[in-house]
PDB file of all heavy atoms in Angstrom:
ATOM      1  N   ILE A  18       2.920   8.828   7.974  1.00 95.00           N
ATOM      2  CA  ILE A  18       3.773   7.738   8.583  1.00 95.00           C
ATOM      3  C   ILE A  18       2.807   6.724   9.187  1.00 95.00           C
ATOM      4  O   ILE A  18       3.235   5.514   9.228  1.00 95.00           O
ATOM      5  CB  ILE A  18       4.838   8.323   9.530  1.00 95.00           C
ATOM      6  CG1 ILE A  18       5.893   7.218   9.689  1.00 95.00           C
ATOM      7  CG2 ILE A  18       4.020   8.656  10.858  1.00 95.00           C
ATOM      8  CD1 ILE A  18       7.086   7.753  10.585  1.00 95.00           C
ATOM      9  N   ASP A  19       1.589   7.021   9.541  1.00 95.00           N
ATOM     10  CA  ASP A  19       0.727   6.077  10.171  1.00 95.00           C
ATOM     11  C   ASP A  19       0.397   4.931   9.131  1.00 95.00           C
ATOM     12  O   ASP A  19       0.235   3.823   9.503  1.00 95.00           O
ATOM     13  CB  ASP A  19      -0.549   6.688  10.639  1.00 95.00           C
ATOM     14  CG  ASP A  19      -0.318   7.579  11.838  1.00 95.00           C
ATOM     15  OD1 ASP A  19       0.587   7.256  12.624  1.00 95.00           O
ATOM     16  OD2 ASP A  19      -1.161   8.482  12.072  1.00 95.00           O
ATOM     17  N   TYR A  20       0.273   5.297   7.872  1.00 94.00           N
ATOM     18  CA  TYR A  20      -0.018   4.392   6.880  1.00 94.00           C
ATOM     19  C   TYR A  20       1.099   3.309   6.753  1.00 94.00           C
ATOM     20  O   TYR A  20       0.902   2.069   6.536  1.00 94.00           O
ATOM     21  CB  TYR A  20      -0.264   4.995   5.487  1.00 94.00           C
ATOM     22  CG  TYR A  20      -1.574   5.851   5.450  1.00 94.00           C
ATOM     23  CD1 TYR A  20      -1.501   7.221   5.774  1.00 94.00           C
ATOM     24  CD2 TYR A  20      -2.811   5.277   5.218  1.00 94.00           C
ATOM     25  CE1 TYR A  20      -2.686   7.996   5.779  1.00 94.00           C
ATOM     26  CE2 TYR A  20      -3.918   6.014   5.174  1.00 94.00           C
ATOM     27  CZ  TYR A  20      -3.874   7.323   5.454  1.00 94.00           C
ATOM     28  OH  TYR A  20      -5.032   8.151   5.489  1.00 94.00           O
ATOM     29  N   SER A  21       2.292   3.762   6.852  1.00 95.00           N
ATOM     30  CA  SER A  21       3.465   2.901   6.908  1.00 95.00           C
ATOM     31  C   SER A  21       3.465   1.987   8.084  1.00 95.00           C
ATOM     32  O   SER A  21       3.807   0.750   8.034  1.00 95.00           O
ATOM     33  CB  SER A  21       4.750   3.726   6.717  1.00 95.00           C
ATOM     34  OG  SER A  21       4.720   4.558   5.649  1.00 95.00           O
ATOM     35  N   LEU A  22       3.247   2.512   9.217  1.00 96.00           N
ATOM     36  CA  LEU A  22       3.261   1.811  10.458  1.00 96.00           C
ATOM     37  C   LEU A  22       2.207   0.734  10.463  1.00 96.00           C
ATOM     38  O   LEU A  22       2.374  -0.415  10.879  1.00 96.00           O
ATOM     39  CB  LEU A  22       2.962   2.829  11.635  1.00 96.00           C
ATOM     40  CG  LEU A  22       4.166   3.685  12.060  1.00 96.00           C
ATOM     41  CD1 LEU A  22       3.691   4.801  12.911  1.00 96.00           C
ATOM     42  CD2 LEU A  22       5.281   2.934  12.715  1.00 96.00           C
ATOM     43  N   GLU A  23       0.987   1.107   9.958  1.00 95.00           N
ATOM     44  CA  GLU A  23      -0.104   0.129   9.819  1.00 95.00           C
ATOM     45  C   GLU A  23       0.298  -0.995   8.926  1.00 95.00           C
ATOM     46  O   GLU A  23      -0.005  -2.222   9.277  1.00 95.00           O
ATOM     47  CB  GLU A  23      -1.351   0.884   9.304  1.00 95.00           C
ATOM     48  CG  GLU A  23      -2.544   0.001   9.183  1.00 95.00           C
ATOM     49  CD  GLU A  23      -3.823   0.702   8.614  1.00 95.00           C
ATOM     50  OE1 GLU A  23      -3.920   0.750   7.454  1.00 95.00           O
ATOM     51  OE2 GLU A  23      -4.465   1.233   9.484  1.00 95.00           O
ATOM     52  N   ASN A  24       0.918  -0.712   7.829  1.00 95.00           N
ATOM     53  CA  ASN A  24       1.354  -1.778   6.860  1.00 95.00           C
ATOM     54  C   ASN A  24       2.273  -2.888   7.632  1.00 95.00           C
ATOM     55  O   ASN A  24       2.195  -3.988   7.511  1.00 95.00           O
ATOM     56  CB  ASN A  24       2.048  -1.306   5.634  1.00 95.00           C
ATOM     57  CG  ASN A  24       1.080  -0.665   4.690  1.00 95.00           C
ATOM     58  OD1 ASN A  24      -0.186  -0.784   4.751  1.00 95.00           O
ATOM     59  ND2 ASN A  24       1.599   0.133   3.721  1.00 95.00           N
ATOM     60  N   LEU A  25       3.296  -2.278   8.345  1.00 96.00           N
ATOM     61  CA  LEU A  25       4.248  -3.089   8.979  1.00 96.00           C
ATOM     62  C   LEU A  25       3.617  -3.863  10.139  1.00 96.00           C
ATOM     63  O   LEU A  25       3.909  -5.130  10.381  1.00 96.00           O
ATOM     64  CB  LEU A  25       5.486  -2.317   9.481  1.00 96.00           C
ATOM     65  CG  LEU A  25       6.327  -1.710   8.425  1.00 96.00           C
ATOM     66  CD1 LEU A  25       7.395  -0.879   9.097  1.00 96.00           C
ATOM     67  CD2 LEU A  25       6.897  -2.762   7.580  1.00 96.00           C
ATOM     68  N   SER A  26       2.605  -3.361  10.815  1.00 97.00           N
ATOM     69  CA  SER A  26       1.905  -3.951  11.835  1.00 97.00           C
ATOM     70  C   SER A  26       1.077  -5.142  11.326  1.00 97.00           C
ATOM     71  O   SER A  26       1.138  -6.243  11.887  1.00 97.00           O
ATOM     72  CB  SER A  26       0.935  -2.985  12.546  1.00 97.00           C
ATOM     73  OG  SER A  26       0.151  -3.613  13.521  1.00 97.00           O
ATOM     74  N   LEU A  27       0.378  -5.008  10.220  1.00 96.00           N
ATOM     75  CA  LEU A  27      -0.285  -5.978   9.530  1.00 96.00           C
ATOM     76  C   LEU A  27       0.637  -7.132   8.988  1.00 96.00           C
ATOM     77  O   LEU A  27       0.238  -8.250   8.977  1.00 96.00           O
ATOM     78  CB  LEU A  27      -1.176  -5.415   8.390  1.00 96.00           C
ATOM     79  CG  LEU A  27      -2.304  -4.521   8.761  1.00 96.00           C
ATOM     80  CD1 LEU A  27      -2.967  -3.804   7.556  1.00 96.00           C
ATOM     81  CD2 LEU A  27      -3.430  -5.306   9.598  1.00 96.00           C
ATOM     82  N   LEU A  28       1.790  -6.684   8.628  1.00 96.00           N
ATOM     83  CA  LEU A  28       2.766  -7.662   8.166  1.00 96.00           C
ATOM     84  C   LEU A  28       3.243  -8.524   9.280  1.00 96.00           C
ATOM     85  O   LEU A  28       3.732  -9.635   9.023  1.00 96.00           O
ATOM     86  CB  LEU A  28       3.960  -6.992   7.448  1.00 96.00           C
ATOM     87  CG  LEU A  28       4.951  -7.848   6.769  1.00 96.00           C
ATOM     88  CD1 LEU A  28       4.319  -8.465   5.505  1.00 96.00           C
ATOM     89  CD2 LEU A  28       6.202  -6.927   6.312  1.00 96.00           C
ATOM     90  N   GLY A  29       3.171  -8.100  10.500  1.00 96.00           N
ATOM     91  CA  GLY A  29       3.459  -8.930  11.663  1.00 96.00           C
ATOM     92  C   GLY A  29       4.939  -8.793  12.083  1.00 96.00           C
ATOM     93  O   GLY A  29       5.560  -9.743  12.616  1.00 96.00           O
ATOM     94  N   VAL A  30       5.506  -7.580  11.960  1.00 97.00           N
ATOM     95  CA  VAL A  30       6.993  -7.417  12.320  1.00 97.00           C
ATOM     96  C   VAL A  30       7.034  -7.414  13.891  1.00 97.00           C
ATOM     97  O   VAL A  30       6.088  -7.082  14.545  1.00 97.00           O
ATOM     98  CB  VAL A  30       7.554  -6.154  11.754  1.00 97.00           C
ATOM     99  CG1 VAL A  30       7.535  -6.175  10.166  1.00 97.00           C
ATOM    100  CG2 VAL A  30       6.840  -4.828  12.255  1.00 97.00           C
ATOM    101  N   ASP A  31       8.203  -7.735  14.335  1.00 96.00           N
ATOM    102  CA  ASP A  31       8.465  -7.753  15.828  1.00 96.00           C
ATOM    103  C   ASP A  31       8.994  -6.470  16.373  1.00 96.00           C
ATOM    104  O   ASP A  31       8.949  -6.229  17.637  1.00 96.00           O
ATOM    105  CB  ASP A  31       9.378  -8.913  16.187  1.00 96.00           C
ATOM    106  CG  ASP A  31       8.839 -10.269  15.748  1.00 96.00           C
ATOM    107  OD1 ASP A  31       7.682 -10.615  16.016  1.00 96.00           O
ATOM    108  OD2 ASP A  31       9.642 -10.878  14.926  1.00 96.00           O
ATOM    109  N   MET A  32       9.545  -5.642  15.480  1.00 96.00           N
ATOM    110  CA  MET A  32      10.315  -4.419  15.804  1.00 96.00           C
ATOM    111  C   MET A  32      10.250  -3.555  14.688  1.00 96.00           C
ATOM    112  O   MET A  32      10.336  -3.887  13.525  1.00 96.00           O
ATOM    113  CB  MET A  32      11.721  -4.718  16.277  1.00 96.00           C
ATOM    114  CG  MET A  32      12.602  -3.552  16.603  1.00 96.00           C
ATOM    115  SD  MET A  32      12.089  -3.059  18.292  1.00 96.00           S
ATOM    116  CE  MET A  32      13.010  -1.374  18.309  1.00 96.00           C
ATOM    117  N   ILE A  33      10.142  -2.259  15.014  1.00 97.00           N
ATOM    118  CA  ILE A  33      10.106  -1.158  13.945  1.00 97.00           C
ATOM    119  C   ILE A  33      11.217  -0.111  14.232  1.00 97.00           C
ATOM    120  O   ILE A  33      11.246   0.369  15.313  1.00 97.00           O
ATOM    121  CB  ILE A  33       8.732  -0.433  13.854  1.00 97.00           C
ATOM    122  CG1 ILE A  33       7.660  -1.486  13.409  1.00 97.00           C
ATOM    123  CG2 ILE A  33       8.852   0.653  12.866  1.00 97.00           C
ATOM    124  CD1 ILE A  33       6.224  -0.823  13.398  1.00 97.00           C
ATOM    125  N   TYR A  34      12.078   0.098  13.267  1.00 96.00           N
ATOM    126  CA  TYR A  34      13.087   1.154  13.337  1.00 96.00           C
ATOM    127  C   TYR A  34      12.559   2.262  12.349  1.00 96.00           C
ATOM    128  O   TYR A  34      12.187   1.958  11.290  1.00 96.00           O
ATOM    129  CB  TYR A  34      14.397   0.698  12.911  1.00 96.00           C
ATOM    130  CG  TYR A  34      15.052  -0.324  13.905  1.00 96.00           C
ATOM    131  CD1 TYR A  34      15.015  -1.653  13.670  1.00 96.00           C
ATOM    132  CD2 TYR A  34      15.661   0.190  15.102  1.00 96.00           C
ATOM    133  CE1 TYR A  34      15.564  -2.606  14.580  1.00 96.00           C
ATOM    134  CE2 TYR A  34      16.133  -0.824  15.960  1.00 96.00           C
ATOM    135  CZ  TYR A  34      16.163  -2.105  15.688  1.00 96.00           C
ATOM    136  OH  TYR A  34      16.698  -3.037  16.522  1.00 96.00           O
ATOM    137  N   ILE A  35      12.647   3.574  12.820  1.00 96.00           N
ATOM    138  CA  ILE A  35      12.277   4.611  11.969  1.00 96.00           C
ATOM    139  C   ILE A  35      13.588   5.396  11.761  1.00 96.00           C
ATOM    140  O   ILE A  35      14.171   5.990  12.737  1.00 96.00           O
ATOM    141  CB  ILE A  35      11.181   5.461  12.563  1.00 96.00           C
ATOM    142  CG1 ILE A  35       9.948   4.695  12.812  1.00 96.00           C
ATOM    143  CG2 ILE A  35      10.866   6.637  11.608  1.00 96.00           C
ATOM    144  CD1 ILE A  35       8.759   5.418  13.397  1.00 96.00           C
ATOM    145  N   VAL A  36      13.963   5.518  10.461  1.00 94.00           N
ATOM    146  CA  VAL A  36      15.173   6.402  10.229  1.00 94.00           C
ATOM    147  C   VAL A  36      14.683   7.910  10.015  1.00 94.00           C
ATOM    148  O   VAL A  36      13.806   8.143   9.140  1.00 94.00           O
ATOM    149  CB  VAL A  36      15.925   5.863   8.948  1.00 94.00           C
ATOM    150  CG1 VAL A  36      17.154   6.742   8.640  1.00 94.00           C
ATOM    151  CG2 VAL A  36      16.292   4.414   9.039  1.00 94.00           C
ATOM    152  N   VAL A  37      15.262   8.754  10.775  1.00 93.00           N
ATOM    153  CA  VAL A  37      14.790  10.165  10.888  1.00 93.00           C
ATOM    154  C   VAL A  37      15.935  11.077  10.610  1.00 93.00           C
ATOM    155  O   VAL A  37      17.155  10.680  10.656  1.00 93.00           O
ATOM    156  CB  VAL A  37      14.109  10.533  12.212  1.00 93.00           C
ATOM    157  CG1 VAL A  37      12.805   9.767  12.308  1.00 93.00           C
ATOM    158  CG2 VAL A  37      15.021  10.155  13.350  1.00 93.00           C
ATOM    159  N   GLY A  38      15.634  12.329  10.299  1.00 87.00           N
ATOM    160  CA  GLY A  38      16.679  13.266   9.947  1.00 87.00           C
ATOM    161  C   GLY A  38      16.397  14.550  10.628  1.00 87.00           C
ATOM    162  O   GLY A  38      16.371  14.705  11.854  1.00 87.00           O
ATOM    163  N   LYS A  39      16.174  15.606   9.827  1.00 86.00           N
ATOM    164  CA  LYS A  39      16.013  17.001  10.315  1.00 86.00           C
ATOM    165  C   LYS A  39      14.898  17.123  11.324  1.00 86.00           C
ATOM    166  O   LYS A  39      15.008  17.851  12.368  1.00 86.00           O
ATOM    167  CB  LYS A  39      15.780  17.869   9.190  1.00 86.00           C
ATOM    168  CG  LYS A  39      15.519  19.391   9.515  1.00 86.00           C
ATOM    169  CD  LYS A  39      15.249  20.179   8.246  1.00 86.00           C
ATOM    170  CE  LYS A  39      14.908  21.616   8.597  1.00 86.00           C
ATOM    171  NZ  LYS A  39      14.669  22.388   7.399  1.00 86.00           N
ATOM    172  N   TYR A  40      13.820  16.372  11.098  1.00 89.00           N
ATOM    173  CA  TYR A  40      12.652  16.508  11.993  1.00 89.00           C
ATOM    174  C   TYR A  40      12.533  15.330  13.004  1.00 89.00           C
ATOM    175  O   TYR A  40      11.468  14.962  13.349  1.00 89.00           O
ATOM    176  CB  TYR A  40      11.365  16.597  11.161  1.00 89.00           C
ATOM    177  CG  TYR A  40      11.296  17.740  10.238  1.00 89.00           C
ATOM    178  CD1 TYR A  40      11.630  17.597   8.818  1.00 89.00           C
ATOM    179  CD2 TYR A  40      10.898  19.041  10.721  1.00 89.00           C
ATOM    180  CE1 TYR A  40      11.588  18.744   8.045  1.00 89.00           C
ATOM    181  CE2 TYR A  40      10.950  20.101   9.830  1.00 89.00           C
ATOM    182  CZ  TYR A  40      11.231  19.953   8.439  1.00 89.00           C
ATOM    183  OH  TYR A  40      11.146  21.045   7.567  1.00 89.00           O
ATOM    184  N   ALA A  41      13.714  14.898  13.464  1.00 92.00           N
ATOM    185  CA  ALA A  41      13.725  13.707  14.269  1.00 92.00           C
ATOM    186  C   ALA A  41      12.835  13.803  15.507  1.00 92.00           C
ATOM    187  O   ALA A  41      11.951  12.886  15.843  1.00 92.00           O
ATOM    188  CB  ALA A  41      15.187  13.382  14.726  1.00 92.00           C
ATOM    189  N   GLU A  42      12.979  14.929  16.170  1.00 93.00           N
ATOM    190  CA  GLU A  42      12.259  15.121  17.436  1.00 93.00           C
ATOM    191  C   GLU A  42      10.691  15.129  17.223  1.00 93.00           C
ATOM    192  O   GLU A  42       9.881  14.651  17.939  1.00 93.00           O
ATOM    193  CB  GLU A  42      12.703  16.356  18.186  1.00 93.00           C
ATOM    194  CG  GLU A  42      14.155  16.254  18.676  1.00 93.00           C
ATOM    195  CD  GLU A  42      14.545  17.473  19.460  1.00 93.00           C
ATOM    196  OE1 GLU A  42      13.685  18.336  19.687  1.00 93.00           O
ATOM    197  OE2 GLU A  42      15.688  17.521  19.956  1.00 93.00           O
ATOM    198  N   ASP A  43      10.250  15.711  16.034  1.00 92.00           N
ATOM    199  CA  ASP A  43       8.879  15.908  15.807  1.00 92.00           C
ATOM    200  C   ASP A  43       8.312  14.470  15.535  1.00 92.00           C
ATOM    201  O   ASP A  43       7.151  14.026  15.969  1.00 92.00           O
ATOM    202  CB  ASP A  43       8.667  16.664  14.534  1.00 92.00           C
ATOM    203  CG  ASP A  43       8.955  18.155  14.760  1.00 92.00           C
ATOM    204  OD1 ASP A  43       9.079  18.563  15.950  1.00 92.00           O
ATOM    205  OD2 ASP A  43       9.252  18.862  13.803  1.00 92.00           O
ATOM    206  N   VAL A  44       9.057  13.649  14.830  1.00 94.00           N
ATOM    207  CA  VAL A  44       8.600  12.261  14.460  1.00 94.00           C
ATOM    208  C   VAL A  44       8.532  11.462  15.832  1.00 94.00           C
ATOM    209  O   VAL A  44       7.574  10.682  16.070  1.00 94.00           O
ATOM    210  CB  VAL A  44       9.512  11.517  13.518  1.00 94.00           C
ATOM    211  CG1 VAL A  44       9.066  10.085  13.289  1.00 94.00           C
ATOM    212  CG2 VAL A  44       9.478  12.329  12.182  1.00 94.00           C
TER     213      VAL A  44
END
């Protein structure tokens, strides 16, 4: 997931939402 976060950071987004499921607390 760090690779995805890094991409969005480089893209310059202002907010990140992460859609989670079974492992929500772990994420």
Side-chain angles (χ1 to χ4, degrees):
I18 199 169
D19 289 334
Y20 292 94
S21 304
L22 288 163
E23 182 179 86
N24 285 348
L25 292 178
S26 175
L27 292 171
L28 190 64
V30 301
D31 304 306
M32 177 74 192
I33 296 174
Y34 292 99
I35 303 179
V36 181
V37 292
K39 177 181 178 180
Y40 299 100
E42 293 184 1
D43 294 339
V44 177

